[in-house]
C-alpha cells in the first residue's frame, strides 16, 4: 500500500497499550491511550493551512490525517495531561513516490510544528524520521493484521538520553471492546529493537 492508503487504513478508533523503556534509567513504564485517526483529503482546509504554515505549496500534498489522543502513563503525577491533537500532511517525493516529507503541526518528541521525512519500507511499514532542535525520533508503524497496528519508536536527546517505545494498538469497532485477531503471526509484532 502507499502512504495515503496506510493513513486511510489507520482511520478509526484505536486502543493502545504502550511500554516505554527509559534507557538511561534502565526502567520501563507502562501506559494506555485512546486514539482516533481521521484521514484527510489533499483539499481539506487543515491540510492546506498546515502546508501554508510550513511554506509548502498545498497543491503538492496528497492528503494526510488528523490524530487525537488521550493517554495515561504509569509514572504520571496528579494533574498531568496526555491529551492532544495533531495534523499530518504528506508531500511525496516526485522521483520516489513511496517517500517524501511529512509536515506536522505538533511533533512526537517536542510540541512544536515540525517537518520530517517518511518512507514505506519493503515490509509495508511506515517509517517516520524527525529531527528536532535538541532531539531526533524514528517511528515505525505496521499492520500484522487489519485490526492490529504496531508502533515502535526511539527518541534520542542531546547528551545521550534515549527512550524506546513499543505500542500495540487494537481497532475499536462501534462502542465495543477492541477487536482481537487470533491469526497474528507473533514474528510480525516483534520490535525491531529486539524486545
Amino acid at each position: 500500500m502507499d502512504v495515503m492508503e496506510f493513513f486511510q487504513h489507520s482511520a478509526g478508533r484505536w486502543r493502545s497499550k504502550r511500554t516505554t523503556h527509559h534507557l538511561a534509567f534502565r526502567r520501563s513504564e507502562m501506559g494506555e491511550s485512546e486514539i482516533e485517526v481521521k484521514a484527510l483529503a489533499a483539499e481539506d482546509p487543515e491540510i492546506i493551512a498546515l502546508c501554508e504554515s510550513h511554506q509548502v505549496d498545498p497543491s503538492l500534498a496528497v492528503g494526510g490525517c488528523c490524530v487525537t489522543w488521550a493517554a495515561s502513563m504509569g509514572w504520571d503525577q496528579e494533574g498531568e495531561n496526555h491529551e492532544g491533537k495533531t495534523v499530518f500532511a504528506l508531500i511525496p517525493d516526485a522521483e520516489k513516490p513511496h517517500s517524501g516529507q511529512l509536515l506536522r503541526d505538533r511533533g512526537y518528541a517536542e510540541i512544536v510544528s515540525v517537518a520530517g521525512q517518511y518512507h514505506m519500507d519493503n515490509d509495508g511499514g511506515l517509517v517516520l524520521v524527525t529531527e528536532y532542535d535538541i532531539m531526533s525520533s524514528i517511528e515505525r508503524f505496521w499492520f500484522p493484521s487489519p485490526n492490529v497496528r504496531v508502533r515502535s519508536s526511539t527518541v534520542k536527546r542531546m547528551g545521550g538520553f534515549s527512550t524506546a517505545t513499543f505500542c500495540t494498538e487494537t481497532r475499536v469497532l462501534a462502542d465495543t471492546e477492541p477487536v482481537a485477531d487470533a491469526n497474528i503471526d507473533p514474528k510480525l509484532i516483534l520490535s525491531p529493537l529486539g524486545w
Side-chain angles (χ1 to χ4, degrees), residues 126-140:
L126 173 63
V127 179
L128 311 178
V129 179
T130 309
E131 297 289 336
Y132 301 88
D133 289 338
I134 60 170
M135 63 185 72
S136 63
S137 71
I138 300 173
E139 303 168 81
R140 183 176 187 268

Side-chain angles (χ1 to χ4, degrees), residues 14-118:
W14 298 85
R15 190 158 294 141
S16 177
K17 300 283 187 184
R18 166 190 316 217
T19 302
T20 298
H21 300 272
H22 300 273
L23 303 180
F25 304 119
R26 297 181 183 174
R27 296 191 60 196
S28 61
E29 176 184 23
M30 305 296 284
E32 297 182 348
S33 57
E34 296 282 334
I35 302 166
E36 183 149 3
V37 180
K38 178 182 172 189
L40 301 176
E43 36 309 312
D44 188 282
E46 288 189 282
I47 296 293
I48 293 169
L50 182 57
C51 289
E52 289 173 346
S53 74
H54 281 272
Q55 300 176 346
V56 172
D57 180 355
S59 70
L60 298 175
V62 294
C65 70
C66 176
V67 179
T68 56
W69 66 90
S72 62
M73 294 299 292
W75 297 353
D76 282 353
Q77 308 231 343
E78 190 166 333
E80 272 193 87
N81 181 1
H82 299 290
E83 295 181 5
K85 171 187 171 187
T86 190
V87 176
F88 298 84
L90 299 162
I91 314 295
D93 185 315
E95 296 178 12
K96 299 181 213 167
H98 279 48
S99 62
Q101 192 174 31
L102 180 83
L103 310 179
R104 301 187 199 197
D105 66 346
R106 175 183 173 147
Y108 170 75
E110 290 184 25
I111 305 174
V112 294
S113 183
V114 68
Q117 300 296 314
Y118 74 84

